[in-house]
Amino acid sequence: MKLSYVYILKCSDGTFYTGVTSNLEKRFQEHSSGKHPRSYTFSRRPIELVYFEQFTNIAFAIQREKQVKKWSRAKKEALIQERQNTLPNLAKKKFQ
């Protein structure tokens, strides 16, 4: 069974990068070493792996990556800090 991963990296400038891969260790090494000079993380190294989820179906992993990429910084931080119970409230817009 081939596994896939959705991961979040914290960059040196404090931003988050969300990606999907079938080899988390190799992909992290590629980000860390700057293998891809045009990538988002290249000029934001060093990076830190702060979160990942494991999937047995690549289609579900890709779907989850797309979902998380659309999230606000606050919502991503809640996910990283394992505060899943706060995620619904962070999705709500605040009206005055």
Side-chain angles (χ1 to χ4, degrees), residues 9 13 16-17 21 24 27 31-32 35 41-42 46 58 62 69-70 84 88 90-91 94 96:
L9 303 175
D13 64 358
F16 292 123
Y17 174 85
T21 186
L24 187 57
R27 189 67 182 116
H31 282 292
S32 295
K35 181 176 181 179
T41 58
F42 183 81
I58 185 66
I62 292 168
K69 278 187 171 189
K70 293 177 186 174
Q84 283 81 354
L90 293 170
K94 295 180 173 111
Q96 294 185 1

Side-chain angles (χ1 to χ4, degrees), residues 15-80:
T15 60
F16 292 123
Y17 174 85
T18 304
V20 64
T21 186
S22 60
N23 187 330
L24 187 57
E25 189 175 318
K26 178 183 175 192
R27 189 67 182 116
F28 179 75
Q29 193 56 36
E30 289 174 354
H31 282 292
S32 295
S33 69
K35 181 176 181 179
H36 305 287
R38 300 182 102 174
S39 72
Y40 180 83
T41 58
F42 183 81
S43 63
R44 293 170 171 85
R45 294 174 292 151
I47 49 116
E48 174 187 2
L49 178 66
V50 292
Y51 182 82
F52 72 91
E53 293 177 9
Q54 185 174 290
F55 295 83
T56 56
N57 182 319
I58 185 66
F60 292 149
I62 292 168
Q63 182 180 3
R64 179 66 165 167
E65 178 205 24
K66 288 178 181 178
Q67 178 187 39
V68 173
K69 278 187 171 189
K70 293 177 186 174
W71 285 2
S72 66
R73 178 176 183 83
K75 198 165 178 178
K76 288 177 188 174
E77 287 175 339
L79 182 67
I80 292 164

Side-chain angles (χ1 to χ4, degrees), residues 79-94:
L79 182 67
I80 292 164
Q81 296 166 3
E82 297 181 1
R83 293 185 287 120
Q84 283 81 354
N85 60 322
T86 65
L87 292 176
N89 291 334
L90 293 170
K92 295 177 183 171
K93 295 195 181 256
K94 295 180 173 111

